[in-house]
Amino acid sequence: MPRRVTRGGTGGDITTALGYINALRQRAYGNTSGNIITTALTTDFILDERARELYWEGFRRTDLVRYGKFVGSNYLGPGKAG
């Protein structure tokens, strides 16, 4: 749901999205030290957070295509020749 909210979707709000992200980060950090604030919750942050959380799941390429960052030089990641 956070991705839908930051990309103009309906069915949620930024406060709920922030709660989901912070719950995920509290599980990862073991405390609230990794929590973020509303202004940090951007589409690029969510793309990066999905990369961290779903590293072994193989979603990175699909996410980059979905966000329009797979082709072109605006995002150069590992495995891309530039």
Side-chain angles (χ1 to χ4, degrees):
M1 173 155 53
R3 184 174 66 236
R4 283 194 319 231
V5 171
T6 60
R7 296 182 81 186
T10 60
D13 57 46
I14 198 73
T15 304
T16 304
L18 183 65
Y20 284 140
I21 293 290
N22 283 335
L24 179 73
R25 293 176 69 84
Q26 286 170 21
R27 182 202 41 86
Y29 282 77
N31 56 40
T32 59
S33 66
N35 283 9
I36 63 168
I37 58 174
T38 305
T39 56
L41 187 58
T42 64
T43 303
D44 285 336
F45 175 84
I46 292 172
L47 179 62
D48 293 341
E49 188 69 16
R50 282 181 58 86
R52 289 184 287 269
E53 182 66 22
L54 301 172
Y55 182 77
W56 290 105
E57 305 298 323
F59 288 111
R60 186 65 175 166
R61 181 187 179 280
T62 303
D63 285 346
L64 291 174
V65 170
R66 181 179 295 129
Y67 282 76
K69 297 188 179 220
F70 185 71
V71 295
S73 61
N74 59 346
Y75 179 84
L76 298 176
K80 290 182 67 179

